[in-house]
Each structure stands twice: as C-alpha cells, then as structure tokens.
Amino acid sequence: MNASPSVSARPVQSPSSTDRTRLWTAVAAFLFVPGAAVAGILTLASERASRCVTYGEQCAPGLPGWLFGWSAGLGAVAFLSALAAPAVRVRQAALAVQVFAEATALVVILSHA
C-alpha cells in the first residue's frame, strides 16, 4: 500500500555542476598574459626584430596594431560574457570567441618577428 513514486538511486546533477565553462574561461584569460609575454620574447629574439630595435634597420611592419587592440578587447568582452551568462550555450560560445580572439592577439605579436 505504498503509493509513493519510484525514486532512482542515481542523483540528478544540475547542468551548472558539470559545466566547467567558467573555469576554462578563467584559465584561458590567466594563460593569455604569460602567452603574450613569451610571444613578445620570441619576437624580440628574432634577428629582424632585434636588428630593428638595436640599429633601426629592417623594421618591416607586421600585422596592424589595431588588430591586436580589437582582438584583446573582444577577448575581454567574451571573458566577461562567459562569466556572467546564465545559459550554458552562451557561455560555450563566449569561450570559443575568447580563445579565438586571444589566439589572434598572439599571432599579431608574433607577426612582428
């Protein structure tokens, strides 16, 4: 005479407990700064860039500086969106945009080598 419904033994996890998008967003933002520093050191270690800094010779322009500014800014906006968005799909899209924007900014730095 037990009228209670059957209860499953497996606990139901909420989407937020299994979604680690916010964690990966923070990791990507944290690793961008050392990545930019390493890219800058690699750029200065190249023969062309070091000759340009030392003697003012062979100073060929790389990708435009505005591209770095826009990609870094877009990465920051995507970072904030990924942290603040309540929907998982929005956070995942913002994480993808953030990683792409940060990679573009690093390519701009390396283009000056």
Side-chain angles (χ1 to χ4, degrees):
M1 300 223 32
N2 192 356
S4 65
S6 169
V7 178
S8 65
R10 203 174 81 194
V12 177
Q13 292 181 345
S14 65
S16 62
S17 67
T18 58
D19 180 46
R20 298 185 197 276
T21 310
R22 289 184 174 124
L23 172 69
W24 288 114
T25 299
V27 168
F30 177 74
L31 290 178
F32 175 69
V33 175
V38 168
I41 290 170
L42 288 174
T43 299
L44 290 176
S46 72
E47 182 180 345
R48 187 177 81 179
S50 58
R51 185 175 274 301
C52 177
V53 169
T54 307
Y55 303 113
E57 301 173 352
Q58 297 179 354
C59 295
L63 292 172
W66 61 263
L67 184 60
F68 175 80
W70 276 99
S71 61
L74 180 63
V77 169
F79 169 70
L80 293 175
S81 298
L83 289 180
V88 175
R89 291 291 233 180
V90 175
R91 288 196 307 262
Q92 290 172 345
L95 175 61
V97 169
Q98 176 190 354
V99 169
F100 179 73
E102 290 176 356
T104 303
L106 294 177
V107 167
V108 170
I109 294 171
L110 289 174
S111 72
H112 292 280

